Amino acid sequence: MWIFKRVADIQSFLQKRTSKNEKIGFVPTMGALHEGHTSLIKKSKSECDITVGSVFVNPTQFNDKKDLDKYPRTIENDVIALINAGCDLLFLPDVSGIYPEPSVKKYALGTLETVYEGSSRPGHFQGGCQVVDRLFEIVKPDAVFFGQKDYQQCMVISRLIDITPGFENIEMNIVPTTREENGLAMSSRNMRLSDGQRANAATIYQTLIYLKEHLAQGDLSNILKSAYEKLVEAGFKPDYVSIADAKTLQSVENWDGGTPLVALIAAFLEEVRLIDNMVLTD
Ligand code: PAF
């Protein structure tokens, strides 16, 4: 695996590959890689001629400096995980490479950035767009791969691709969430759970399945109430349990039977906040 730290170096390398008409797949990450990330690399490998991964802990998407400082940095393990997954090239920039000047760009994300994860983390999705915009500009990918686990981020990036001139030909791939055997979505936060909590955390997945199985046209408040109660009974403090339009993420209380839907959950188990989601309609 090649490792490039400087923008000019990766650009001149990739230019040679694009001139040979090779399809470039790109997986941006903030490191602390687990099987969820490596599944994105493998997916890109299966569809593209060259797979680029990046590891960059983006300061502009953290509204709390303490969270940025606390963010796990495990680059040695990340490099091994990327090599094992078959990644061809790792881009490992520093802050001055990504932001030679502070980014002041603002993206028209509408309510996508204010609901759910956006309401507890103001500015988070603007910051995410700033770095992804810059990374796409540098790597010039043909296809990009994001994990469904961060469903709202996937919708935000799809919007970024739609509204940014020059990005219209980028193919967006949303890769299904990788789960532990019991259904718990893979996340670097799972490391903070005890064995007992880990087993219990699968309740989130079971609750999503419950919502999918009980979905019916009309009022959704009863199934949402039962879902909320299931989580509370299992010892969670839910932040939100919601069903929303799968594209706009506007919450849906009364389903017309046709609008594509996604169920979204964020819940605390002690101090660990877990999120998960499930598309409810095919
Ligand atoms: O999902 C992540 O790890 C980050 O939000 C991303 C997309 C790499 C941007 O920093």
Side-chain angles (χ1 to χ4, degrees):
M1 181 174 74
W2 293 281
I3 301 183
F4 289 104
K5 293 192 170 178
R6 292 188 28 212
V7 172
D9 294 340
I10 185 173
Q11 280 183 321
S12 72
F13 179 89
L14 287 174
Q15 255 157 28
K16 287 184 207 121
R17 307 301 287 250
T18 6
S19 62
K20 286 195 228 149
N21 258 343
E22 288 185 334
K23 180 173 179 182
I24 298 179
F26 181 41
V27 179
T29 81
M30 296 208 298
L33 303 183
H34 50 71
E35 274 177 58
H37 297 106
T38 50
S39 78
L40 305 179
I41 298 284
K42 287 178 188 161
K43 182 82 179 141
S44 170
K45 276 294 276 183
S46 71
E47 296 189 3
C48 301
D49 299 307
I50 177 156
T51 291
V52 179
S54 66
V55 173
F56 177 69
V57 181
N58 173 37
T60 73
Q61 71 192 79
F62 289 85
N63 38 9
D64 183 346
K65 169 96 172 49
K66 273 191 264 126
D67 286 345
L68 172 63
D69 294 339
K70 267 194 333 214
Y71 199 84
R73 280 139 172 110
T74 59
I75 190 62
E76 274 150 39
N77 289 342
D78 294 345
V79 167
I80 294 168
L82 289 168
I83 291 173
N84 288 342
C87 184
D88 299 300
L89 190 163
L90 167 60
F91 181 40
L92 198 57
D94 61 15
V95 174
S96 64
I98 294 294
Y99 301 116
E101 274 139 45
S103 175
V104 288
K105 272 197 175 175
K106 285 271 173 283
Y107 302 85
L109 301 175
T111 53
L112 264 186
E113 69 169 311
T114 53
V115 292
Y116 303 114
E117 293 308 293
S119 75
S120 50
R121 302 170 77 182
H124 169 69
F125 289 116
Q126 287 291 331
C129 283
Q130 284 171 349
V131 73
V132 170
D133 183 356
R134 180 78 180 118
L135 289 166
F136 285 5
E137 193 182 279
I138 295 166
V139 174
K140 302 200 187 325
D142 298 296
V144 294
F145 298 81
F146 287 84
Q148 191 191 321
K149 160 90 185 349
D150 293 305
Y151 190 87
Q152 190 170 0
Q153 171 167 275
C154 290
M155 293 306 109
V156 165
I157 302 301
S158 300
R159 173 76 61 89
L160 174 74
I161 290 173
D162 284 347
I163 63 177
T164 309
F167 289 172
E168 50 282 296
N169 293 329
I170 297 179
E171 176 196 306
M172 171 70 171
N173 293 275
I174 300 175
V175 181
T177 304
T178 308
R179 298 182 179 280
E180 309 271 3
E181 236 169 78
N182 68 4
L184 172 63
M186 296 245 180
S187 160
S188 45
R189 295 190 184 195
N190 297 355
M191 282 185 318
R192 292 163 57 196
L193 300 172
S194 67
D195 286 348
Q197 285 176 323
R198 207 174 255 257
N200 196 14
T203 309
I204 297 187
Y205 180 61
Q206 287 151 12
T207 306
L208 289 166
I209 291 178
Y210 166 86
L211 286 171
K212 185 162 183 155
E213 284 176 355
H214 290 80
L215 179 72
Q217 189 171 348
D219 183 17
L220 301 176
S221 59
N222 283 338
I223 58 167
L224 284 169
K225 187 163 168 283
S226 306
Y228 192 96
E229 282 164 4
K230 273 180 195 302
L231 289 166
V232 172
E233 271 161 34
F236 284 90
K237 217 167 131 251
D239 189 352
Y240 54 77
V241 177
S242 185
I243 293 178
D245 180 309
K247 191 143 195 273
T248 64
L249 294 190
Q250 291 303 295
S251 79
V252 173
E253 271 107 49
N254 213 310
W255 187 41
D256 58 12
T259 304
L261 297 179
V262 61
L264 301 155
I265 293 179
F268 286 92
L269 199 50
E270 307 277 330
E271 74 295 351
V272 186
R273 186 174 183 276
L274 299 169
I275 62 168
D276 202 351
N277 66 79
M278 189 174 280
V279 175
L280 301 181
T281 46
D282 299 315

